[in-house]
Amino acid sequence: MTPLQVEITENLLDTITTKLNESGFFCIENAFKSNTIKEWKSEIKSLLEVHGNRYFSLIQPWVDESSKFRCLAFDDNFRKLLHGLTQRGLEEGNSNNEIYNVLRVIAGKNHNEQSLKFHFDASVVTVLIPLEIPPGNPEESGALVAFPNLRKIRSSSLVNGLEKALYQNPIARKFFASKIKNRTSEKNIYNLEVGNIYIFWGYRTLHANLACKEDSLRATLLFHHGDPHKGSTLTSFIKWTRRLRESRNLNQ
């Protein structure tokens, strides 16, 4: 049985795609059944008992047979969302790429070095599912910060790599962080609510999260789909380094 409360139809996919191209962002409200959210919150609590009250992330948790996130792995309705949007977001190429999944947990003290790390994702589509969001203003709740559709999908993985290096260095990140800190509007701030699904073109959108209050809990489940440079050495290297980094962090 699908954990989603909404049916993913071709019309809905077309609507989402239009909104993403126009504004770069789409929210499906009350997307999940209440019992599903309760099970996922219970999973987060269990993981905190294992890994400690600190920052950590898990790569592909949904493939673990004991994981409560596994219900999404075999849900045709959810897969249709990912594949349908990738097919519409790629000008050419195969939408049947690997589904890349990351669980990101921010907890405890001294975790705010994880904030404002602006980056582009490697995949066309990013689906963000909030599981635990602290109350408060954007700087307390770890709100999503995004500059949507800042670039196009590049035909060359080399150009993609050079562009990422241009935007994802300390100087560029400090510049975009200052734009948020000195903002005159909330245009680039997206407050997250548990139960919703948030969708954007991850490859094209420069994004990060704001800080959270100390001793608060922020947990998000992320799905990335659609690699424009499938098989490229650079993309494989990026995924390998992330796995290595997160593995080291878990074992600290």
Side-chain angles (χ1 to χ4, degrees):
M1 185 177 293
T2 178
L4 290 170
Q5 294 194 126
V6 59
E7 181 183 0
I8 305 301
T9 65
E10 294 299 319
N11 285 339
L12 178 57
L13 289 168
D14 288 340
T15 298
I16 295 173
T17 302
T18 298
K19 292 292 185 181
L20 293 183
N21 289 335
E22 290 176 350
S23 66
F25 205 77
F26 190 87
C27 173
I28 302 177
E29 296 183 351
N30 301 314
F32 295 104
K33 297 172 182 176
S34 58
N35 63 323
T36 300
I37 296 296
K38 289 179 181 178
E39 288 183 354
W40 289 346
K41 284 177 175 285
S42 173
E43 180 93 341
I44 297 299
K45 184 178 180 180
S46 298
L47 289 169
L48 285 168
E49 291 174 356
V50 172
H51 299 294
N53 193 45
R54 62 189 180 96
Y55 167 79
F56 63 89
S57 65
L58 302 178
I59 308 295
Q60 297 291 58
W62 75 333
V63 302
D64 187 334
E65 291 186 2
S66 64
S67 173
K68 291 183 172 64
F69 306 124
R70 193 170 173 79
C71 62
L72 286 172
F74 302 100
D75 183 53
D76 290 337
N77 198 29
F78 184 71
R79 284 177 171 268
K80 186 175 181 180
L81 174 68
L82 296 174
H83 287 282
L85 290 176
T86 295
Q87 191 174 44
R88 288 161 172 79
L90 278 174
E91 294 181 2
E92 57 182 35
N94 189 351
S95 66
N96 295 316
N97 302 133
E98 174 193 24
I99 296 174
Y100 190 70
N101 170 226
V102 179
L103 173 68
R104 189 164 181 260
V105 178
I106 299 174
K109 297 181 182 295
N110 303 318
H111 53 55
N112 285 327
E113 63 270 15
Q114 302 301 324
S115 64
L116 294 174
K117 287 190 173 181
F118 287 98
H119 63 282
F120 294 108
D121 290 336
S123 301
V124 176
V125 178
T126 296
V127 171
L128 188 159
I129 302 171
L131 304 177
E132 295 279 3
I133 298 297
N137 63 45
E139 276 78 9
E140 295 175 321
S141 64
L144 176 68
V145 184
F147 294 88
N149 300 343
L150 206 57
R151 64 172 184 160
K152 297 180 179 180
I153 291 178
R154 303 307 182 188
S155 59
S156 165
S157 62
L158 177 59
V159 172
N160 173 47
L162 292 172
E163 201 166 43
K164 285 169 77 74
L166 179 65
Y167 281 94
Q168 295 177 193
N169 63 74
I171 296 174
R173 283 173 169 169
K174 187 175 181 179
F175 168 76
F176 283 101
S178 68
K179 287 176 68 70
I180 295 302
K181 183 179 180 180
N182 302 319
R183 63 186 183 271
T184 56
S185 74
E186 301 296 284
K187 178 182 178 182
N188 300 104
I189 307 297
Y190 301 89
N191 294 305
L192 306 177
E193 293 186 18
V194 175
N196 294 347
I197 291 178
Y198 299 89
I199 306 166
F200 55 97
W201 298 132
Y203 183 101
R204 300 176 57 194
T205 298
L206 191 70
H207 58 283
N209 66 275
L210 289 171
C212 305
K213 288 185 294 188
E214 283 201 347
D215 290 320
S216 61
L217 173 61
R218 181 186 189 272
T220 53
L221 193 62
L222 295 153
F223 287 88
H224 306 286
H225 190 254
D227 181 3
H229 312 294
K230 189 176 182 181
S232 77
T233 302
L234 177 62
T235 301
S236 298
F237 178 73
I238 290 171
K239 288 184 176 181
W240 178 80
T241 54
R242 178 162 190 178
R243 286 179 184 272
L244 181 63
R245 182 174 66 250
E246 299 305 343
S247 178
R248 286 175 176 172
N249 180 57
L250 279 176
N251 294 322
Q252 286 180 353

